[in-house]
Amino acid sequence: MLFLPYRMQFAMARSWARCSLWMLHHLCGLTFTVEGRERIPSGNHVVMSKHTSAWETIALFVIFPPKFGC
């Protein structure tokens, strides 16, 4: 995927994350709720999560909006 533009790379990764979360929901019954989404600052920012699991790594692609162009 390195030959693709960054936006396309990110879109493919985000699609994979959405697909993974969909499968986890339908196969394992995993559901989640995002609390405090209204407190996400607008513009570019750094996300630092504590005790990140494999699930959270995938979910961050879906929960946070993509930011392009610094």
Side-chain angles (χ1 to χ4, degrees):
M1 291 190 336
L2 294 176
F3 62 89
L4 295 173
Y6 181 74
R7 287 178 188 259
M8 196 66 137
Q9 292 176 14
F10 192 88
M12 291 178 75
R14 195 166 196 199
S15 296
W16 172 81
R18 286 182 192 268
C19 182
S20 296
L21 290 177
W22 182 86
M23 287 191 313
L24 284 169
H25 174 71
H26 286 73
L27 296 175
C28 302
L30 178 75
T31 58
F32 65 95
T33 303
V34 178
E35 296 178 4
R37 182 175 245 164
E38 66 278 357
R39 290 188 227 137
I40 297 174
S42 60
N44 295 331
H45 54 275
V46 176
V47 176
M48 299 178 75
S49 58
K50 188 174 182 180
H51 304 292
T52 304
S53 66
W55 179 86
E56 288 170 334
T57 304
I58 295 170
L60 287 176
F61 271 102
V62 177
I63 295 170
F64 289 99
K67 299 292 182 186
F68 301 108
C70 296

